[in-house]
Amino acid sequence: MNFRRTITLFPLIFIALFGALIVGPRAARTQQEQAPQKKQQTPTIDEYQPKSTLVTKEHKIERAKFPFIDIHSHHWNPTTEEVDRLVKEMDTINLRVMVNLSGGTGERLKNTVAAMKGRYPDRFVVFANMSYDDLNTPRFGKRVAARLEEDVRNGAQGLKIFKDFGMELKYANGQRVHVDDPEFDAVFEKCAELKLPVLIHVAEPAAFFDPWDYHNERWEELKEFPGRARPPAKYPPFETLMAERNHLFAKHPRTNFIAAHLAFHGNDLERLGKLFDANPNVYVDIAAVLAELGRQPYSAHDFLVKYQNRVLMGKDIYDVNEYKWYFRALETRDEYFEYYRKRHAFWRIYGFQVPDKVLKKVYYKNALKLLPGIDAKAFPE
Ligand SMILES: [Zn+2]
């Protein structure tokens, strides 16, 4: 009886001992790895960072296929050292001409032109901005037009209008300055006369005007920057701003407008197409809205082919390391790759590779047409 029991128990003890030796450390390790997840069974949207297992062709493009013009960049009061560094960085990615939209007006404009164009006349373009200091003094618009003329004499090659116009800017009586306010007609007519393009930022992504709830596509960005929300109590509705903007474009048909950020219709390219069809004087840049195109590669490709004369390359916030996403999206058919700014897009993007003929227009030909005074010889035919 005793003997039989010893025989039966021996393998069991053996298995238990060795089993503990083999399984023990692994079980402990797995428990450790899972520790943070145990606290919370369902990860929050910030915690959930799935790693893609997709294996597919990748083309990391560090340098644009053709020299290009960045129509949408900001450099406030650049020093000569900064400008030297900029040019070196621009050369590494084939960025031939940088358009600084933040030139200001008056003395500041002069200084910015001197720092940038004074030393590298072929590498920079500076846009002027309006000053609203005397907004409440009669004949404001005429004075802005006169100042702009002076700024052009001092080297400005375009006018940039920032997003406060139409949203935050108010008269002393509290009335909002509408995007199509007749007071500014003199300014836009002056731009037509001087052949100055107007790069204008109207409104914001439509989602910023919507409630910050679980259905909002820009939930993460609004969490990070609550001040970007445009609640109806404080701001005009998105559609009001679009209507005013479209009226502005229509009433100055001789003025060329570049609507920043795909005119905030990157999520509705058909609507943008209609805007183009109705207004031959309207162009757009793709600055900071690449994720909109990258999530609809077929539509983006067809749109760019159809409206190849109306779309311009731009980046917005300058970082030499972030342009490569634009190159990869425009030049390859890479699939499902991560975007460079998570708050703009929780989704991954796809390349929509356009033909070289279209690429050249987006990279530089359209900008060359709109911007007088750039040396076209630096660009291929
Ligand atoms: Zn900008």
Side-chain angles (χ1 to χ4, degrees):
M1 202 52 176
N2 261 354
F3 180 69
R4 253 174 62 199
R5 192 191 279 167
T6 313
I7 292 172
T8 331
L9 281 176
F10 183 73
L12 286 176
I13 293 164
F14 181 86
I15 289 165
L17 264 174
F18 279 80
L21 273 174
I22 296 160
V23 177
R26 193 184 299 167
R29 204 187 318 131
T30 314
Q31 248 175 8
Q32 248 174 21
E33 278 166 8
Q34 283 175 349
Q37 267 160 27
K38 262 201 160 168
K39 267 190 292 178
Q40 199 162 10
Q41 290 299 329
T42 307
T44 64
I45 189 168
D46 301 320
E47 286 165 345
Y48 187 55
Q49 304 284 340
K51 288 209 160 60
S52 170
T53 61
L54 178 70
V55 180
T56 182
K57 281 205 179 71
E58 291 188 351
H59 304 85
K60 300 279 172 70
I61 306 211
E62 302 288 336
R63 186 179 165 83
K65 187 171 181 180
F66 301 111
F68 70 100
I69 299 171
D70 180 354
I71 195 77
H72 193 139
S73 202
H74 299 283
H75 305 270
W76 287 271
N77 305 311
T79 63
T80 51
E81 292 77 23
E82 278 163 18
V83 174
D84 288 341
R85 183 178 52 83
L86 255 181
V87 170
K88 281 200 190 87
E89 290 183 355
M90 286 159 64
D91 287 340
T92 65
I93 58 170
N94 218 2
L95 172 41
R96 176 67 201 170
V97 178
M98 164 94 79
V99 179
N100 179 9
L101 298 178
S102 300
T105 181
E107 280 305 302
R108 196 162 78 78
L109 184 277
K110 267 197 215 169
N111 293 338
T112 302
V113 169
M116 299 188 111
K117 291 185 72 79
R119 306 180 42 253
Y120 302 96
D122 301 334
R123 305 303 298 276
F124 295 103
V125 164
V126 179
F127 274 34
N129 310 124
M130 292 191 274
S131 162
Y132 304 126
D133 290 349
D134 51 340
L135 174 68
N136 293 292
T137 312
R139 286 180 302 282
F140 167 75
K142 294 234 160 58
R143 276 196 307 284
V144 173
R147 290 199 288 256
L148 188 60
E149 213 164 0
E150 178 72 21
D151 288 339
V152 169
R153 273 195 292 274
N154 290 327
Q157 285 167 279
L159 172 68
K160 162 71 195 280
I161 299 179
F162 293 104
K163 61 182 161 192
D164 53 345
F165 188 75
M167 282 202 295
E168 324 251 2
L169 186 65
K170 293 194 172 81
Y171 288 107
N173 64 8
Q175 261 202 348
R176 178 175 68 86
V177 172
H178 293 203
V179 180
D180 55 349
D181 187 329
E183 182 62 41
F184 292 78
D185 283 346
V187 180
F188 296 112
E189 286 308 306
K190 181 58 73 182
C191 289
E193 182 194 317
L194 300 175
K195 296 193 169 30
L196 279 192
V198 179
L199 197 146
I200 184 166
H201 177 142
V202 178
E204 285 283 63
F208 288 4
F209 294 80
D210 294 336
W212 184 51
D213 62 15
Y214 284 12
H215 305 290
N216 194 309
E217 205 170 45
R218 302 292 277 264
W219 190 91
E220 285 184 286
E221 180 161 0
L222 292 173
K223 183 196 172 206
E224 198 179 338
F225 300 101
R228 293 187 183 176
R230 297 283 178 261
K234 280 173 73 184
Y235 296 93
F238 179 78
E239 288 304 334
T240 302
L241 291 166
M242 295 299 102
E244 292 174 5
R245 178 202 66 189
N246 294 356
H247 181 224
L248 170 73
F249 293 164
K251 74 170 165 167
H252 300 288
R254 296 186 310 127
T255 309
N256 286 326
F257 292 94
I258 304 162
H261 315 300
L262 287 169
F264 291 115
H265 295 324
N267 56 353
D268 187 350
L269 292 177
E270 215 174 293
R271 183 173 181 182
L272 182 52
K274 283 183 187 143
L275 180 69
F276 283 152
D277 294 342
N279 303 279
N281 57 329
V282 172
Y283 301 78
V284 292
D285 71 43
I286 59 172
V289 286
L290 185 68
E292 294 293 353
L293 298 176
R295 64 168 159 171
Q296 47 175 336
Y298 309 116
S299 304
H301 171 275
D302 294 351
F303 180 84
L304 286 171
V305 169
K306 183 169 181 191
Y307 295 105
Q308 54 186 271
N309 297 324
R310 315 290 282 273
V311 182
L312 286 79
M313 170 71 173
K315 168 70 181 67
D316 207 353
I317 297 173
Y318 176 76
D319 180 341
V320 70
N321 297 307
E322 289 178 342
Y323 286 85
K324 50 179 173 259
W325 273 268
Y326 290 72
F327 309 152
R328 195 175 177 191
L330 285 159
E331 298 180 25
T332 83
R333 289 168 46 132
D334 279 6
E335 292 164 307
Y336 194 65
F337 54 95
E338 266 182 352
Y339 194 52
Y340 65 92
R341 196 154 284 132
K342 198 170 164 278
R343 65 170 178 262
H344 286 178
F346 56 84
W347 55 86
R348 287 171 177 243
I349 66 167
Y350 302 79
F352 39 85
Q353 191 178 57
V354 293
D356 281 358
K357 182 177 159 250
V358 176
L359 191 61
K360 286 176 176 177
K361 288 188 177 180
V362 173
Y363 272 171
Y364 60 91
K365 284 191 175 176
N366 294 336
L368 286 177
K369 261 199 310 195
L370 285 173
L371 285 170
I374 297 184
D375 179 19
K377 287 194 294 295
F379 297 90
E381 254 305 293

